[in-house]
Amino acid sequence: MPALWQYLAIAGIRTVSAFPPGSPQKKGFDWDSTRYLIAFGDSYTYVQGTHGHQNYSFIGDLQNFEYDAETLLADKIVQNQTATAEGGPNWVEYLTGCGLKEGLTSPFDCERQLWDFAFAGSDISVAYTPLHHNYTVSLVNQVTQFTTYGQPVLSQHISAPQTLVAIWIGINDIGDSAKYAVDFPAFYDTLLTTLFASVQEIYGQGYRSYLFVNLPPLDRTPGNQATSQPYPNATQIAWYNDALAQHAAAFHRNHTDTNVHLFDAHSVLSEIMDHPAKYGIVNTTNFCAGYDQPDIAWNYRSYSCPTPLEEYFWFNSGHLTSHVHKILAGVLKGELKKWST
Ligand SMILES: *[C@@H]1O[C@H](CO)[C@@H](O)[C@H](O)[C@H]1NC(C)=O
Ligand SMILES: *[C@@H]1O[C@H](CO)[C@@H](O)[C@H](O)[C@H]1NC(C)=O
Ligand SMILES: *[C@@H]1O[C@H](CO)[C@@H](O)[C@H](O)[C@H]1NC(C)=O
Ligand SMILES: *[C@@H]1O[C@H](CO)[C@@H](O)[C@H](O)[C@H]1NC(C)=O
Ligand SMILES: *[C@@H]1O[C@H](CO)[C@@H](O)[C@H](O)[C@H]1NC(C)=O
Ligand SMILES: *[C@@H]1O[C@H](CO)[C@@H](O)[C@H](O)[C@H]1NC(C)=O
């Protein structure tokens, strides 16, 4: 079982620690026997649920924070043009194969069950950035809600050793705070201290395998490409991603019985943007104005879009296309297989 730092090294991320020598023997991660993915995050990760807030969640919202066992167990993943923030399946759906087909899917009917508590528009905590809406569930609250209402029910149906917990967050935080007058490296460190207090809470429920995803090159959104003063800028993204790598390594050091994988989405997405043709993409500079129109799949030319949506990198001003999510999930799946012992 290679240590975390080896993966970080492969990913090209500097890190502070190696796997401590003489640490107790632990069970390695195994993707093939992973049957459950529990996800937290924002619009990049959320899926629509029949008991969710439309366009925002699989289940509940801030005003409908409490849910019962029946509601969770009967909830179904919706797949259609408006059920994700990318006009089609997103990375957790491609990774698990759960909820890919049009219509409704119960997580229980999937070979790899997807239990997705991400909420679109989420930041880490209201302590640092305001809610996007009064019904937004921050990451900290996603974990509180899961701990209070989700875990007591799910623990009867899924097994922690066969579960991977996936967290992709920070996309809204870095945008919302980009113009703050703060010492950014210290600010990002504080954000991540708060994030990992929530991770600690999940750890306390018996989960031992974790996947963290770093920030995309958000300094290269269509809007940011069009300005000489992007926000966030590349330096800010790098600071945040460094802080995430350090906190992930520290979490692993503090809990040597965990498997921790940091997925360098930033490198993968930068590679796609730099060599789009290799990935069947022609447009990295802009998004198609008619991206949310019901007839966009075939009628894109009438919205002044020279190519179909799947040949675009950006779905809209801040989201990746479903095609890019598919590529990302494919690379990640390869890493998870390699990571398995
Ligand atoms: C969800 O988004 C769709 C498409 O943009 C919109 O028509 C619908 O009104 C939205 N629903 C809610 C509850 O905001
Ligand atoms: C997607 O499915 C939801 C739930 O069944 C439905 O409310 C919504 O109108 C559908 N949207 C499209 C574009 O079919
Ligand atoms: C949330 O905001 C909406 C729109 O501003 C408002 O109508 C609603 O009363 C608010 N709900 C709560 C619980 O604050
Ligand atoms: C990005 O923004 C930060 C904070 O304002 C600033 O310190 C840094 O120099 C900027 N980097 C670039 C490349 O503009
Ligand atoms: C390290 O782990 C202990 C025991 O689980 C926990 O109480 C503490 O908060 C952790 N510290 C950090 C920095 O994660
Ligand atoms: C990229 O998309 C924009 C907006 O749809 C369009 O104007 C532009 O021509 C496209 N560029 C390429 C190379 O397809």
Side-chain angles (χ1 to χ4, degrees), residues 9-60:
I10 290 164
I13 294 173
R14 272 182 306 106
T15 174
V16 288
S17 80
F19 195 83
S23 58
Q25 231 8 74
K26 68 188 167 92
K27 266 215 155 89
F29 175 77
D30 181 31
W31 175 244
D32 288 335
S33 63
T34 299
R35 299 266 72 94
Y36 313 97
L37 187 82
I38 296 181
F40 300 96
D42 52 37
S43 57
Y44 277 46
T45 302
Y46 108 92
V47 298
Q48 179 66 53
T50 49
H51 293 305
H53 188 125
Q54 196 180 17
N55 305 333
Y56 293 92
S57 73
F58 176 66
I59 190 159

Side-chain angles (χ1 to χ4, degrees), residues 178 180 184 230 233-236 239:
Y180 281 13
F184 283 102
N233 67 31
T235 315
Q236 290 172 309
W239 282 333

